[in-house]
Amino acid sequence: ALNAGLVRGAMALETGDFAGAKAAYEGFLAKAPIDHPLRYLAVEGKGLALEGEGDLEGALKVMVELAGQPGVFYRDQALRQQGRLLE
């Protein structure tokens, strides 16, 4: 049931329902343990939803946080997203 929030968020993003996507991802993040293996998908999704809403600064902040420290598993993708947003 918890992971279904990720699917709801992705479906909302796909249809342009950015507020719904953000709510789904935030709901997942509120319930998922900090070490949940798919947590990064919800964080990235939240950033993409913020971007869709026009909040580029908020989206960039999320991607900076997602990048974390060197060696973090998802760092390369988060850095790519940062570059795309800055462009």
Side-chain angles (χ1 to χ4, degrees), residues 33-76:
I34 195 74
D35 62 345
H36 192 287
L38 299 178
R39 191 173 178 86
Y40 71 91
L41 289 174
V43 176
E44 181 188 37
K46 179 181 173 182
L48 294 173
L50 288 167
E51 178 186 5
E53 291 180 326
D55 182 1
L56 299 180
E57 293 294 324
L60 183 59
K61 182 179 177 185
V62 168
M63 296 306 172
V64 167
E65 292 172 8
L66 183 61
Q69 301 297 317
V72 171
F73 172 73
Y74 203 63
R75 184 172 173 81
D76 291 343

Side-chain angles (χ1 to χ4, degrees), residues 12-23 45 48-54:
L13 271 181
E14 192 172 305
T15 61
D17 177 11
F18 303 118
K22 187 171 70 172
L48 294 173
L50 288 167
E51 178 186 5
E53 291 180 326

